[in-house]
Amino acid sequence: MKKLLFAVVILSFFLAMPAAQEQKDPAADVMKNLQLVEKTIAVPARPLAGFDHITVKDLMAMMAFLSHDLLEGREVGTRGYDTAAAYAQSLFTLWGLKPGGDLPKAPVVPSRGNPARSAARPERSFLQEFVMKEALASTASVLLEQGSGEARRTRAFAPQVDFVFDSSLPLDLSAPVVFAGYGISERSVGYDDLAGIDVKDKVVLILSDAPGKDDPASPLQRKEVKDKYFPAMPSMRRGGADFVKASAIFKRGALAVLVVKSDISAGGDIHWEIVGQRQVRDEKPILPDERKKLLIPGSKGMPWEGRSLVRVSREMADAVLAGAGETVAGLQSKIAARYRPHSFALKGTRLSLGNTVNYGLVKSANVIAWIEGSDPQLRDQAVVVGAHLDHLGRRGDYIFNGAEDNASGACGVLAMARALALNPEKPKRSVVFCLWTGEEEGLLGSRWYVEHPLFGMEKTAAYLNLDMIAMPWSEAGLQRMVRMLNVKDSEALLKKIRVEKFLPLSLAAEAPELRGALEEANRSVGLDILFRETPRDMDRMSGGSDHAPFAMAGRPWAFFISGMSDVYHTPGDSMEKFDGTVMERMSRLIYLAAYLLADK
Ligand SMILES: [Zn+2]
């Protein structure tokens, strides 16, 4: 999933943009959400002492440890991760925070004749442990059946050759097939591939991307949907818009979605991805993505889990369509002729999909600490601040140090915990500091916490998520971002924004207290923040990092990610690339916002 991150961050950032009919003037919308702080004001007195304790020196000192080769990239279920967790535990203890993890498993046995001791409330640990199932090996299969009686013929396809199906869940289904064009339903521009066809309990074959990539006549080139289907930013997406399309088709009751690439001229068919054909760069070795496939037994899945999204080769798609005497290329030109959908059910065609999985068990733990609020009435409510501590581990001699992803965020959480512990005046509500495990394998730690919270979700005022806070934005990145905002005078806007202080900030909509606290905090920190509120009905899509489970639980959230370096998810993500200034600014902003929100 995490390769999706950037695509999803950009996607969710632009999906949050109000639709055309509401967005009279994109520039007005942008200016309404752009907070430019030329001159900062003094930090409010109550949180001040702690604020000053957040420094580049301390942040870099902690990053040096967490991103050290000795921790071997902190992969879940490894000594490296457990060492990082033990380090955080000892720091929380050192600073006097309260443990927020598990209660002792074995009940305290009351000793005869000493009732006092047995009355003592058992002490929690800082660790919140849980066990996950690991898919050690999985074998997928797809069988095509066409015709009936004498004319019935079958064909089996090969995984990682004809199709790619990456799932840790067992699967066994057989169903009729429907072709649904590009799987796009955009009534606002008069294009709907799903109109007039029933996809319920079917296997649905769609084309990737959208029709009319370079044709202004295409309805999908219209301003209000263009960024969704033809984003200006060259995305690294693996799934992105197709994932969104498939989610909408699953919502209509489809059992599986097969995606065939609509354009194989540039990057070739899926075979190229499978053989891993990528531009070789010395510091970016080709490393197989051997990430553990983990899932939490019995846990409520995330929107993308349990969804049978299969990427198929052109050859396989043509074999499926042969039953109707059609081909992918033929259907593409029929659709492109007048940009009219050409969806239909494939009579007499069935597909059987299977996935057998062998499992093992892996144990890991979140690290949870908290500071109690000062107000007797409000201290049973909490603001939660978190960051994932795990990363990708090592591949042979290559260590994914994960300095930016996400030692930077973890150090931010540690620095804020220390700051609040040292700050004499505690805010009215309690504040919980969380370091998650298993983010790289599916947000597993934060999902476990949301289902086993220290303070119930109804008592959780907001969740502030830090994931990669070390890198400043680049001029080029800012220009690309501004171009996508569709404002008439992008040059003028560019002149207003200081790139080194720029922060696009995604957060939940309809959370005025959270937005207010962030704006107030920023008046003392002085960043140029572009707020992007994600409508609640889009919460399910605000994936990509640990705020997603809180969004799914309906809690207000904000997602802090600074610039994005090109060492993302490579062994090159190591601490010498960062100087700590962005980390300090981001950590101070979030500390202040969390304090102000908890003190409201
Ligand atoms: Zn991350």
Side-chain angles (χ1 to χ4, degrees):
M1 184 171 35
K2 301 309 113 221
K3 278 280 175 221
L4 277 187
L5 178 66
F6 195 46
V8 168
V9 167
I10 291 293
L11 205 64
S12 60
F13 200 77
F14 283 91
L15 283 176
M17 286 179 70
Q21 50 274 24
E22 297 152 32
Q23 192 188 55
K24 308 269 168 309
D25 167 15
D29 173 66
V30 168
M31 293 321 293
K32 199 179 70 200
N33 289 294
L34 189 60
Q35 185 194 20
L36 303 170
V37 179
E38 294 291 334
K39 204 166 169 342
T40 57
I41 62 171
V43 175
R46 278 170 63 78
L48 177 58
F51 182 93
D52 290 339
H53 277 292
I54 298 174
T55 65
V56 167
K57 183 177 75 49
D58 295 350
L59 287 159
M60 292 305 276
M62 293 188 280
M63 183 189 250
F65 182 85
L66 288 178
S67 64
H68 197 286
D69 277 357
L70 287 172
L71 272 64
E72 297 189 322
R74 310 182 307 277
E75 187 177 15
V76 59
T78 67
R79 270 169 67 87
Y81 177 82
D82 296 345
T83 308
Y87 172 68
Q89 203 176 339
S90 71
L91 290 177
F92 284 143
T93 310
L94 190 63
W95 301 327
L97 281 91
K98 288 172 180 284
D102 298 329
L103 289 163
K105 298 239 174 338
V108 175
V109 182
S111 56
R112 246 187 305 287
N114 183 357
R117 206 152 62 77
S118 61
R121 213 164 53 157
E123 181 69 9
R124 280 180 183 274
S125 144
F126 280 102
L127 298 182
Q128 185 186 40
E129 293 184 310
F130 60 101
V131 175
M132 294 157 274
K133 281 169 71 171
E134 178 180 4
L136 300 169
S138 63
T139 316
S141 63
V142 176
L143 181 73
L144 171 65
E145 292 165 72
Q146 283 165 327
S148 56
E150 294 301 301
R152 181 175 170 281
R153 52 188 190 286
T154 66
R155 177 174 171 181
F157 295 98
Q160 296 302 103
V161 176
D162 301 316
F163 68 89
V164 175
F165 178 51
D166 210 357
S167 169
S168 319
L169 292 164
L171 179 70
D172 183 7
L173 69 85
S174 175
V177 182
V178 163
F179 172 71
Y182 290 81
I184 292 173
S185 181
E186 287 292 353
R187 298 217 185 103
S188 64
V189 295
Y191 185 90
D192 188 354
D193 282 313
L194 302 174
I197 53 161
D198 171 17
V199 299
K200 191 165 180 343
D201 300 331
K202 308 281 190 317
V203 173
V204 181
L205 172 62
I206 63 170
L207 287 149
S208 71
D209 307 311
K213 189 151 157 271
D214 310 314
D215 179 357
S218 161
L220 297 153
Q221 289 282 0
R222 294 250 303 265
K223 193 150 39 72
E224 53 270 43
V225 293
K226 184 174 179 185
D227 286 311
K228 218 163 145 185
Y229 298 104
F230 306 113
M233 174 92 80
S235 90
M236 304 190 279
R237 71 174 175 211
R238 198 183 80 191
D242 293 333
F243 174 76
V244 177
K245 295 189 298 184
S247 296
I249 295 171
F250 280 121
K251 268 199 203 126
R252 293 172 183 233
L255 297 177
V257 173
L258 274 51
V259 181
V260 60
K261 286 183 88 169
S262 54
D263 174 7
I264 55 174
S265 60
D269 203 343
I270 61 167
H271 305 120
W272 283 108
E273 286 164 34
I274 296 169
V275 296
Q277 179 72 34
R278 278 191 305 181
Q279 185 211 355
V280 175
R281 286 170 50 189
D282 294 346
E283 89 283 8
K284 227 179 187 176
I286 295 181
L287 294 167
D289 187 349
E290 291 155 5
R291 224 171 306 181
K292 288 190 173 77
K293 288 191 186 141
L294 299 173
L295 43 93
I296 301 175
S299 152
K300 279 202 294 317
M302 294 301 273
W304 49 81
E305 267 174 356
R307 296 281 171 80
S308 306
L309 185 56
V310 186
R311 289 181 297 120
V312 302
S313 68
R314 184 67 65 113
E315 184 197 353
M316 176 171 164
D318 282 342
V320 173
L321 292 166
E326 296 278 5
T327 65
V328 173
L331 288 165
Q332 274 187 290
S333 27
K334 281 181 182 164
I335 293 171
R338 293 182 309 123
Y339 293 110
R340 285 271 169 282
H342 204 85
S343 306
F344 57 95
L346 283 88
K347 294 202 177 45
T349 297
R350 278 186 87 77
L351 278 171
S352 305
L353 281 65
N355 195 34
T356 49
V357 188
N358 300 339
Y359 292 105
L361 292 178
V362 171
K363 189 179 77 160
S364 189
N366 296 324
V367 189
I368 316 278
W370 64 294
I371 289 178
E372 187 159 29
S374 57
D375 182 306
Q377 258 65 52
L378 295 173
R379 65 166 56 123
D380 69 341
Q381 294 175 26
V383 170
V384 181
V385 178
H388 72 93
L389 183 60
D390 69 303
H391 193 48
L392 298 174
R394 69 178 302 160
R395 303 277 181 278
D397 297 336
Y398 291 99
I399 293 176
F400 289 74
N401 298 80
E404 178 189 30
D405 188 14
N406 186 29
S408 64
C411 293
V413 168
L414 289 165
M416 280 184 260
R418 176 171 175 270
L420 194 57
L422 293 170
N423 193 75
E425 297 186 75
K426 306 308 182 209
K428 294 177 182 144
R429 291 174 183 76
S430 300
V431 182
V432 183
F433 299 95
C434 304
L435 295 170
W436 311 120
T437 185
E439 188 271 354
E440 301 286 4
E441 286 79 16
L443 316 179
L444 299 163
S446 53
R447 283 168 56 192
W448 180 265
Y449 177 87
V450 165
E451 290 175 15
H452 308 83
L454 181 63
F455 288 79
M457 283 298 113
E458 72 293 349
K459 296 275 184 187
T460 299
Y463 173 65
L464 309 182
N465 187 49
L466 294 70
D467 196 343
M468 301 195 286
I469 60 163
M471 191 75 184
W473 268 73
S474 65
E475 273 303 341
L478 177 61
Q479 281 160 12
R480 272 199 301 266
M481 167 75 77
V482 167
R483 251 206 318 274
M484 291 170 75
L485 295 170
N486 274 327
V487 293
K488 283 204 197 66
D489 190 349
S490 56
E491 291 318 311
L493 181 58
L494 273 170
K495 285 205 185 71
K496 288 200 179 92
I497 299 174
R498 297 160 299 167
V499 65
E500 74 287 359
K501 298 248 171 123
F502 179 55
L503 175 66
L505 180 48
S506 292
L507 71 165
E510 301 130 39
E513 295 200 331
L514 172 58
R515 172 84 181 246
L518 287 163
E519 287 177 342
E520 193 183 339
N522 190 36
R523 276 190 274 281
S524 299
V525 174
L527 299 180
D528 289 348
I529 298 181
L530 179 58
F531 290 96
R532 268 297 155 236
E533 296 192 353
T534 298
R536 282 304 165 100
D537 63 353
M538 294 296 297
D539 266 350
R540 297 175 67 79
M541 295 308 300
S542 57
S545 188
D546 292 299
H547 53 288
F550 289 86
M552 302 271 296
R555 307 320 306 146
W557 56 272
F559 176 25
F560 301 88
I561 175 171
S562 60
M564 181 106 178
S565 74
D566 63 1
V567 293
Y568 169 68
H569 277 203
T570 76
D573 176 4
S574 41
M575 99 165 255
E576 75 283 351
K577 304 253 174 15
F578 311 102
D579 67 8
T581 45
V582 176
M583 253 202 296
E584 181 190 275
R585 258 197 308 258
M586 295 279 279
S587 303
R588 285 183 169 200
L589 172 76
I590 306 163
Y591 162 82
L592 205 44
Y595 191 104
L596 295 170
L597 194 56
D599 211 31
K600 276 224 181 306

